[in-house]
């Protein structure tokens, strides 16, 4: 696709009568058959893909963008990808390089919208490390809104990143999505079971991030000039809730407000939590941090600083750990009154103290 056109699926195909468009009743399937990428987009175009099923793409042997975007690959365009089913696509199968974006890969987009899609069962690399099982963004300003990310995998090995979403140097807005049961790596390692972001200034808002798996956090933020996490529910993931990390060249700063972060294993929120890592500064306001080995940890000795105001800590073995954490107006050991925490419903009852 090199022009500004609309590719719309779901037509009933009737030769007469009223025009009927219903993608669920009349699926329009673009099938790569496990042999080829499904959609290639380039140039200064603003195409729309809406109501399609994009399945079984394979970009391992693509002549352009090899190993990137098994279902959809876009470079330099401003695509609008809405209301599609993007499933069972593979970007790459190899051990010597990263696969990038199993379902979708967007490069160099001044603006783009990815909304209302079901993005499931995609994989960035079936042979080695991968980045972005569902979506990968590089140098792109993208609105990712109202999508379901489910059962996507970044890669096979421990250096894989972003089971659902990978964003590199991209001022993305990730809003109102459900990221569920994605994983960074098949071997159980990797970073960012739900989402991984590096550089750029992303906004992560009003998402439900649940049941994702990685060795290092559901949400992993590395060397971002600034991250904004607000009004998210981050629960029942393995490997921790949120990890932030910078370095001397690219320190990280961030704002976390009004998030529920619960039942994510050893660590809820970490600033350079392991090894000689740090240079992260976080301001936390009105967050619930519940049921972890350590609720909030700043790695001492590596210029990590956290300011936590109006935090409700409950059920953590240790509420704060490490050093350089300023805490004000906190509640400790107070039941937040979830609707049904045992059943996986971490919404709050009306009488919650939070």
């Amino acid at each position: 696709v090199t022009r500004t056109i609309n590719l719309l699926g779901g037509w009933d195909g009737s030769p007469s009568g009223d025009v009927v468009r219903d993608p669920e009743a009349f699926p329009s399937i673009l099938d790569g058959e496990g042999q080829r990428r499904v959609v290639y987009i380039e140039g200064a175009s603003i195409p729309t893909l809406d109501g399609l099923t994009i399945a079984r793409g394979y970009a391992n042997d693509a002549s352009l963008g090899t190993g990137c975007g098994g279902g959809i690959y876009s470079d330099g365009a401003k695509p609008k990808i809405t209301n599609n089913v993007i499933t069972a696509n593979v970007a790459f199968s190899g051990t010597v390089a990263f696969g990038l974006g199993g379902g979708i890969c967007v490069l160099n987009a001044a603006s783009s919208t990815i909304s209302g899609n079901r993005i499931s069962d995609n994989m960035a690399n079936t042979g080695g490390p991968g980045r972005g099982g569902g979506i990968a963004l590089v140098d792109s300003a993208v609105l990712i809104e109202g999508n379901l990310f489910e059962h996507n995998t970044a890669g096979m090995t421990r250096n894989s990143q972003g089971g659902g979403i990978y964003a590199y140097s991209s001022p993305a807005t990730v809003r109102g999505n459900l990221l569920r049961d994605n994983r960074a790596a098949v071997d159980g390692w990797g970073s960012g079971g739900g989402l991984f972001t590096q550089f750029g200034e992303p906004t992560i808002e009003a998402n439900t991030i649940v049941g994702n798996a990685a060795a290092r956090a559901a949400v992993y933020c590395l060397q971002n000039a600034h991250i904004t996490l607000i009004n998210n529910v981050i629960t029942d993931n393995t490997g921790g809730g949120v990890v932030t990390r910078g370095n001397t060249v690219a320190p990280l700063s961030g704002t976390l407000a009004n998030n529920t972060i619960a039942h994510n294993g050893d660590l809820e929120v970490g600033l350079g939590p392991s090894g000689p890592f740090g240079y992260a500064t976080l301001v936390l306001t009105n967050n619930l941090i519940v049921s972890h080995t350590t609720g909030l940890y700043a790695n001492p000795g590596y210029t990590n600083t956290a300011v936590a105001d109006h935090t409700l800590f409950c059920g953590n073995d240790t509420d704060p750990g490490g050093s350089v954490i300023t805490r004000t107006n906190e509640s400790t050991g107070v039941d937040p009154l979830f609707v049904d925490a045992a059943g996986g419903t971490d919404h709050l009852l009306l009488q919650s103290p939070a």
Side-chain angles (χ1 to χ4, degrees):
V1 178
T2 58
R3 298 184 180 182
T4 298
I5 60 173
N6 296 332
L7 299 177
L8 309 179
W11 305 103
D12 66 341
S14 175
S16 61
D18 294 336
V19 174
V20 176
R21 182 169 181 251
D22 185 339
E24 290 192 8
F26 308 107
S28 300
I29 302 172
L30 306 182
D31 189 349
E33 300 178 318
Q35 301 295 316
R36 63 194 67 83
R37 177 188 290 128
V38 180
V39 179
Y40 176 86
I41 304 168
E42 70 171 357
S45 60
I46 312 175
T48 296
L49 281 66
D50 184 278
L52 303 166
T53 296
I54 297 170
R56 297 200 301 163
Y58 185 56
N60 192 73
D61 301 317
S63 59
L64 297 172
T66 304
C68 303
I72 301 171
Y73 175 86
S74 175
D75 188 359
K78 303 176 183 178
K80 298 178 181 179
I81 302 169
T82 56
N83 306 312
N84 303 286
V85 176
I86 301 168
T87 186
N89 299 285
V90 173
F92 189 57
S93 182
T95 59
V96 297
F98 283 88
L100 191 63
I104 303 172
C105 181
V106 178
L107 311 179
N108 306 308
S111 65
S112 180
T113 299
I114 300 172
S115 70
N117 303 282
R118 178 161 64 87
I119 301 169
S120 66
D121 299 286
N122 302 287
M123 194 164 181
N125 192 348
T126 59
R131 291 172 171 165
I135 290 178
L137 312 176
V138 177
D139 295 322
S140 294
V142 180
L143 171 63
I144 301 173
E145 185 170 37
N147 303 281
L148 168 63
F149 293 86
E150 187 173 43
H151 302 145
N152 301 288
T153 303
M156 296 294 294
T157 54
R158 62 184 300 146
N159 47 347
S160 298
Q161 300 166 334
I165 300 170
Y166 171 85
Y168 180 88
S169 192
S170 295
T173 296
V174 181
R175 178 188 299 137
N177 303 280
L178 172 57
L179 290 92
R180 178 174 63 196
D181 297 332
N182 303 285
R183 58 182 176 173
V186 171
D187 69 4
W189 288 84
S191 302
L195 185 153
F196 183 100
T197 178
Q198 183 175 9
F199 302 122
E201 299 188 14
T203 296
I204 303 165
E205 178 183 0
N207 302 282
T208 298
I209 302 173
V210 59
N212 303 285
R216 293 177 291 274
V219 178
Y220 196 105
C221 303
L222 176 63
Q223 298 168 301
N224 299 98
H226 192 82
I227 57 167
T228 302
L229 281 82
I230 54 176
N231 295 321
N232 299 284
V233 176
I234 304 171
T235 63
D236 299 290
N237 302 283
T238 60
V242 178
V243 163
T244 61
R245 176 183 149 196
N247 61 22
T248 55
V249 176
L252 179 145
S253 69
T255 300
L256 279 69
N258 306 317
N259 300 288
T260 297
I261 308 174
H263 313 293
N264 295 301
D266 289 342
L267 179 66
E268 194 58 69
V269 178
L271 292 80
S274 61
F277 304 128
Y279 304 95
T281 300
L282 297 183
V283 176
L284 300 91
T285 307
N286 295 331
N287 297 284
L288 277 67
I289 297 179
V290 178
S291 295
H292 303 87
T293 304
T294 303
L296 174 62
Y297 180 80
N299 192 1
Y302 293 98
T303 321
N304 293 294
T305 303
V307 176
D309 184 48
H310 286 92
T311 304
L312 190 154
F313 290 104
C314 179
N316 306 296
D317 292 347
T318 302
D319 289 331
S323 63
V324 203
I325 299 175
T326 302
R327 301 148 56 196
T328 56
N329 302 305
E330 70 181 30
S331 298
T332 301
V334 178
D335 188 345
L337 298 179
F338 292 127
V339 171
D340 181 14
T345 305
D346 289 321
H347 297 290
L348 299 173
L349 295 168
L350 289 176
Q351 61 268 38
S352 170

